[in-house]
Amino acid sequence: MRSNRNIVLVGFMGTGKSSVGKRVAQRLDRLFVDMDEWIEEWEKRSISDIFREEGEAYFRQRERELVQELATREGLVIAAGGGVVLDPDNIQDLSRNGIVVCLTATSEVIIERTARESHRPLLEEGKKAESIKRVLSDRASFYDSIPHQIDTTGLTLDEVVARIIALSDN
Ligand code: S3P
């Protein structure tokens, strides 16, 4: 029988957590939770507005509260925000009732995937490539510490989905 543990996707912005998560949820007939979207719904404003009006620390607090709530549930597929790994308590809580999988990609792929977007407050407009490389390297140890890793570079969406489902079956 399939386990009902949550499947939690973490990883840097642009590694495909949301698109992959949506499809995994469809395949397994589970509820998909995009943490950023839930926070936007709670707050009735966009992530960019929350960062601008309240600052990053406030956003991290809301993110922490949502992790605590989600860690009490089961059967979910969760796409976490890229910074969720920064607080080790988040990973500990999410791992209690879930399998946490870190999606990775090269900085070149991330730069390409995020090129046409403007909703990510941590990436400085006009200096996106530089900020991606800087934040990626600052956070490398956090992402590297997650035991399950899938490098999405060169994989199709369906290939990534299949690997996650295989991992969650074990
Ligand atoms: C963040 C990533 C974003 C969002 C916020 C902060 C980060 O989520 O939570 O802008 O610190 O890496 P995505 O990874 O879904 O873009």
Side-chain angles (χ1 to χ4, degrees):
M1 208 179 82
R2 263 194 167 139
S3 136
N4 207 30
R5 294 171 78 201
N6 294 329
I7 297 173
V8 185
L9 305 180
V10 302
F12 199 75
M13 299 169 247
T15 50
K17 293 164 299 207
S18 298
S19 7
V20 169
K22 236 173 253 171
R23 193 159 303 180
V24 170
Q26 263 170 8
R27 292 274 156 84
L28 299 179
D29 197 21
R30 288 180 178 212
L31 182 68
F32 172 64
V33 174
D34 185 306
M35 287 188 54
D36 285 346
E37 281 179 12
W38 277 37
I39 293 172
E40 288 182 330
E41 211 146 290
W42 267 357
E43 288 276 332
K44 305 271 178 278
R45 51 187 166 168
S46 69
I47 301 291
S48 304
D49 284 350
I50 300 171
F51 268 72
R52 198 179 45 248
E53 290 162 14
E54 313 288 348
E56 181 173 350
Y58 175 89
F59 172 76
R60 296 295 171 208
Q61 182 53 39
R62 298 300 269 158
E63 197 172 45
R64 174 87 195 109
E65 286 161 18
L66 182 53
V67 163
Q68 287 170 315
E69 160 68 26
L70 295 174
T72 66
R73 305 201 191 185
E74 55 178 24
L76 304 174
V77 178
I78 301 169
V84 98
V85 295
L86 298 174
D87 183 343
D89 290 343
N90 284 340
I91 299 304
Q92 202 182 337
D93 287 345
L94 290 166
S95 303
R96 228 183 309 122
N97 199 22
I99 174 166
V100 179
V101 183
C102 182
L103 303 186
T104 67
T106 61
S107 54
E108 289 74 20
V109 167
I110 291 172
I111 290 165
E112 199 187 296
R113 288 185 190 158
T114 55
R116 284 166 302 281
E117 302 169 348
S118 59
H119 66 277
R120 292 187 159 101
L122 292 178
L123 304 183
E124 228 180 301
E125 280 311 316
K127 290 191 188 163
K128 230 183 221 173
E130 271 172 74
S131 24
I132 285 172
K133 286 186 183 152
R134 180 176 37 78
V135 183
L136 250 183
S137 111
D138 288 349
R139 290 184 180 175
S141 63
F142 293 97
Y143 294 124
D144 290 350
S145 71
I146 309 293
H148 296 295
Q149 302 262 336
I150 297 176
D151 184 355
T152 65
T153 311
L155 295 183
T156 65
L157 184 62
D158 281 328
E159 286 167 339
V160 181
V161 168
R163 287 185 194 200
I164 291 167
I165 292 176
L167 267 178
S168 73
D169 272 343
N170 287 319

